[in-house]
Amino acid sequence: MKFENILEEVNGFGPFQIFILFLLWTPRIVLPCHFLLNIFIAAVPPHHCDISKLADGGLLENLTQEQRLSVSVPVKEDGGLKSCEMFAEPQFQLLANSSDTLHNTDMQIVQCQSGWVYDNSTFTSTLATEWDLVCDRKSLTKTTGTIFFFGVMMGAIAFGYLCDKYGRKNTLLASYIMAIVFGFSSAFANSYILFAGLRFLTGFGLTGISINSAVLTIEWVDTGHRSFIGVMGSLAWSVGNMLLAGFAFLVTDWRSLIMTVTAPLGFAVITWWWVPESARWLLANGKVESAQFYLDKCASFNKRPKLSSKIKLDVLSSVEIQEKQEKNYTYLDLIKTPKMRLLSLKAGIVWFGVALTYYGISLNISGFGLNMYLTHFIYAAIEVPAKLMIYFLLNIIGRRKCQAGTLLLTGFCIAINIFLPTGLWHVRAVVAILGKGLSEASFTTVFLYTTELYPTVIRQNGLGYVSFISRLGVSIAPLILLLEDVWTLLPQIIIGCMAIISGLVSLLLPETMNARLPEIIDDIEKPRKKEICSQTSESAGVVLESKSTTTETKE
């Protein structure tokens, strides 16, 4: 007897499952707000050298502000002021002919001596303006994002183990508390080093929310509705992504913005009391009485009769995993056996490619001719139709073809934009938006796909592992974008190639559409044929017959 048989008794898709989805929507909305927060809090506004000390000395006292800048700061070829350089001495001759600054090489130019003046028309303050992270320190703005995702990587390892050891619900609460405490603390950081450390810990805590929310919704739903619940749950990411554009537009101070996007977790803590523990996990760990409590609650919520007298603790015990429940599973179990080892390798490559592609596109929001808020909103909005499209395709062509197709098409969209001339910016924008939607579709698919690939006893460890790999890809994405200084097209070539390679690797993964979730490692090493997936082993025949008879009697 398998868990699906009992889930069928209490209704594997009803108000109870929708209620769980609703409870976990709020924390899932917070995730993109933090994961993509660096786009706004680390933005570098236009700036130039501070020349106020020259004016204080009386040298520029009788000049207008525009004239002061023209004699103190050199200009670029496009006519804008240089951001990191100034003249060693005021060049008053430029008042007569300002074009001399482009041709006269005798003017001595030095780095900014007294700090910078920032354009505050878009942002009241950012990390760059707070700690002068510009010019030779500009890489430190992107470093905060990398440090955040290092925290996410470490959290993936820790929570993958803790969730399988202590349960989904308890670690979910720990994730909420960590994210709230360190999220709000980072908004009050008074130094760059302290801020970076707190962002690391915030990322660590948020990972538990990411892993647990996805698994809890999937483990409570029947096979036929897994894709629906998976896609509907992931819509929270798109909603949060769009809200981030609105929050950032309305709240232009980086400290206030961090507090704004962290605050909804307070509501999540309140609703945590109603989140049920995974009955699959409870049964897999021999906690039969607790499993029956939640299954009875599910039956009551879905207006189904509670598990009958014959299906009591003794029958529920027959559902527990066939391997000894006291065994402690670790990440080593992902590579101990041949097929698990190969599965983990292929899943890791796919996740790395999916994450690198998605964030490589998401973090590059320039080039549309639109302001950054509208660009980010468009990138987020395209995710909604992409998710709805993938929902219908998942149950038509299967998980494997969806995963491979979305990744390969994303790579092709990037390749098309490499060869399109910059003058066709309308066409390039449409192709880029299409590529963004496809990359999101690949992310939606891989979340559902992975939960179906790994067996119950090590599912959290498996998700922790692939989450670690994906965050490695995310951490590398900003560094790849910096290669634009070496060759403009190099970042696009790298990201496009990775999308295509990971898409091809996904074709080597097994199809899981309408397949029963694996529960033990032997289900991977010695899989049953698809045509008998709905059946149980011969030894469970009597139990199933008993269950069927009981159901008919009730009806």
Side-chain angles (χ1 to χ4, degrees):
M1 190 176 185
K2 293 295 183 180
F3 182 77
E4 277 78 4
N5 304 123
I6 287 183
L7 197 58
E8 183 182 348
E9 284 286 315
V10 297
N11 190 359
F13 181 71
F16 185 77
Q17 284 73 18
I18 300 300
F19 183 61
I20 296 173
L21 184 66
F22 169 76
L23 291 178
L24 296 175
W25 243 62
T26 299
R28 294 178 80 167
I29 284 176
V30 172
L31 294 177
C33 292
H34 272 280
F35 280 43
L36 297 173
L37 186 61
N38 241 48
I39 294 175
F40 300 103
I41 67 170
V44 180
H47 55 281
H48 59 78
C49 296
D50 185 359
I51 59 170
S52 58
K53 287 190 177 181
L54 294 177
D56 292 340
L59 294 174
L60 310 177
E61 186 175 353
N62 296 323
L63 301 180
T64 64
Q65 180 63 22
E66 183 179 351
Q67 290 174 327
R68 292 176 182 179
L69 290 173
S70 66
V71 301
S72 304
V73 182
V75 297
K76 298 178 287 188
E77 292 185 2
D78 62 2
L81 297 174
K82 288 191 174 182
S83 301
C84 303
E85 296 174 340
M86 61 184 294
F87 295 123
E89 295 181 356
Q91 305 296 317
F92 293 105
Q93 72 275 15
L94 295 178
L95 293 174
N97 188 0
S98 60
S99 62
D100 284 353
T101 186
L102 295 175
H103 308 291
N104 194 334
T105 58
D106 295 334
M107 301 177 186
Q108 185 179 358
I109 295 177
V110 296
Q111 297 298 308
C112 296
Q113 302 295 303
S114 305
W116 294 264
V117 174
Y118 299 94
D119 180 359
N120 294 325
S121 60
T122 302
F123 302 99
T124 303
S125 67
T126 67
L127 300 180
T129 63
E130 182 81 16
W131 292 302
D132 287 333
L133 305 181
V134 294
C135 299
D136 58 343
R137 304 180 69 205
K138 66 180 180 180
S139 62
L140 292 178
T141 57
K142 286 187 169 50
T143 302
T144 57
T146 301
I147 291 172
F148 172 82
F149 284 110
F150 275 145
V152 173
M153 285 195 294
M154 295 300 104
I157 296 175
F159 281 105
Y161 169 77
L162 294 173
C163 293
D164 276 335
K165 183 70 175 177
Y166 300 106
R168 283 60 160 142
K169 183 173 181 177
N170 290 333
T171 50
L172 181 64
L173 179 61
S175 302
Y176 286 165
I177 294 174
M178 284 190 67
I180 290 173
V181 171
F182 296 119
F184 276 102
S185 297
S186 65
F188 296 95
N190 58 6
S191 71
Y192 175 83
I193 294 177
L194 178 60
F195 173 79
L198 291 171
R199 284 297 287 169
F200 174 91
L201 294 171
T202 303
F204 188 97
L206 287 169
T207 309
I209 300 175
S210 177
I211 293 176
N212 278 288
S213 58
V215 174
L216 269 173
T217 52
I218 291 296
E219 289 190 336
W220 268 108
V221 74
D222 59 31
T223 303
H225 294 92
R226 265 185 253 151
S227 58
F228 174 81
I229 289 292
V231 172
M232 291 302 104
S234 68
L235 279 175
W237 177 279
S238 301
V239 172
N241 212 354
M242 287 186 281
L243 286 175
L244 175 59
F247 290 149
F249 178 76
L250 296 173
V251 184
T252 58
D253 173 71
W254 71 271
R255 296 181 187 273
S256 300
L257 182 57
I258 291 178
M259 290 188 284
T260 300
V261 299
T262 305
L265 288 178
F267 176 75
V269 170
I270 297 174
T271 59
W272 172 84
W273 299 100
W274 294 287
V275 175
E277 179 58 272
S278 168
R280 286 182 187 270
W281 178 84
L282 290 170
L283 290 173
N285 286 271
K287 301 179 184 296
V288 182
E289 292 185 7
S290 296
Q292 185 169 14
F293 169 78
Y294 285 112
L295 287 167
D296 287 343
K297 182 178 290 188
C298 176
S300 176
F301 213 101
N302 288 340
K303 298 181 179 179
R304 288 286 185 92
K306 293 183 179 181
L307 296 177
S308 65
S309 58
K310 291 185 178 180
I311 307 180
K312 290 285 188 179
L313 297 181
D314 53 337
V315 179
L316 283 172
S317 296
S318 70
V319 182
E320 64 181 340
I321 305 305
Q322 296 171 13
E323 292 183 349
K324 189 173 179 62
Q325 295 305 304
E326 288 75 19
K327 178 181 178 182
N328 292 319
Y329 290 93
T330 67
Y331 286 100
L332 292 177
D333 290 292
L334 298 174
I335 59 173
K336 278 184 179 179
T337 53
K339 289 188 178 180
M340 281 298 304
R341 188 159 50 242
L342 190 59
L343 172 64
S344 296
L345 175 63
K346 291 184 286 191
I349 293 173
V350 172
W351 270 83
F352 182 86
V354 168
L356 177 66
T357 303
Y358 178 84
Y359 283 93
I361 295 174
S362 298
L363 294 174
N364 185 19
I365 61 174
S366 61
F368 272 101
L370 306 172
N371 68 59
M372 65 189 306
Y373 303 111
L374 184 56
T375 302
H376 185 84
F377 182 83
I378 292 173
Y379 265 3
I382 192 62
E383 295 181 0
V384 176
K387 288 177 186 292
L388 297 178
M389 173 196 71
I390 210 66
Y391 165 64
F392 292 105
L393 292 179
L394 281 172
N395 288 325
I396 296 175
I397 64 176
R399 279 65 157 152
R400 179 171 54 191
K401 291 180 180 177
C402 281
Q403 189 68 75
T406 51
L407 281 169
L408 292 173
L409 288 173
T410 300
F412 292 148
C413 286
I414 295 173
I416 290 171
N417 263 355
I418 290 175
F419 293 103
L420 280 177
T422 54
L424 298 174
W425 69 271
H426 292 88
V427 180
R428 287 172 60 86
V430 171
V431 173
I433 294 172
L434 179 61
K436 176 59 167 60
L438 288 166
S439 70
E440 168 56 33
S442 71
F443 227 136
T444 301
T445 303
V446 79
F447 261 109
L448 173 65
Y449 200 5
T450 307
T451 58
E452 296 179 343
L453 286 172
Y454 282 107
T456 301
V457 292
I458 56 169
R459 184 167 294 129
Q460 288 298 108
N461 290 99
L463 285 174
Y465 155 71
V466 294
S467 181
F468 175 87
I469 296 297
S470 72
R471 300 316 166 199
L472 181 61
V474 175
S475 301
I476 292 175
L479 305 180
I480 290 177
L481 294 178
L482 289 176
L483 294 177
E484 193 174 43
D485 295 335
V486 178
W487 181 28
T488 306
L489 298 178
L490 187 56
Q492 297 179 63
I493 292 173
I494 294 174
I495 294 171
C497 288
M498 194 63 231
I500 293 173
I501 291 171
S502 57
L504 294 174
V505 171
S506 65
L507 289 172
L508 303 176
L509 291 169
E511 179 56 70
T512 61
M513 182 173 66
N514 296 325
R516 185 177 55 209
L517 287 178
E519 297 187 3
I520 59 175
I521 293 176
D522 276 351
D523 289 342
I524 299 295
E525 297 299 322
K526 302 172 185 177
R528 299 173 182 176
K529 294 181 181 180
K530 186 174 182 179
E531 55 265 29
I532 64 170
C533 278
S534 61
Q535 301 176 1
T536 57
S537 63
E538 183 179 353
S539 60
V542 176
V543 176
L544 283 176
E545 184 177 354
S546 172
K547 168 186 166 300
S548 178
T549 304
T550 305
T551 303
E552 291 174 1
T553 303
K554 285 184 178 182
E555 295 174 349

